Amino acid sequence: MLVSNWRAVLCRAWSIRLLLLAGVLSGVEVALPLIGVEAIPPRVFATLSGIVAAAAFVARLLAQKGITDA
């Protein structure tokens, strides 16, 4: 079941933004070797993605300004 103010949460929550960033980093990690860019060490984006996902977990537990319970 969705929270009643899911649109506000989707637009304003830092946890959502950080999870989207983690997804982008994972996609970049896969895409770079496919296009032939190998100047970046292979585990950099995986490490960054893990750090950002952990930050999203913490952000989900913290109260965030601009989002109120409906």
Side-chain angles (χ1 to χ4, degrees):
M1 177 181 278
L2 294 175
V3 293
S4 59
N5 62 341
W6 66 270
R7 286 185 178 103
V9 172
L10 188 63
C11 293
R12 295 187 183 106
W14 275 101
S15 56
I16 300 294
R17 295 173 186 176
L18 290 169
L19 286 172
L20 289 172
L21 178 59
V24 168
L25 289 170
S26 294
V28 169
E29 179 184 17
V30 172
L32 284 180
L34 293 175
I35 61 173
V37 176
E38 295 184 17
I40 300 169
R43 293 193 174 110
V44 169
F45 286 106
T47 302
L48 290 174
S49 180
I51 291 169
V52 171
F57 179 76
V58 171
R60 182 64 185 114
L61 297 176
L62 298 175
Q64 300 177 33
K65 291 182 180 181
I67 301 174
T68 59
D69 294 332

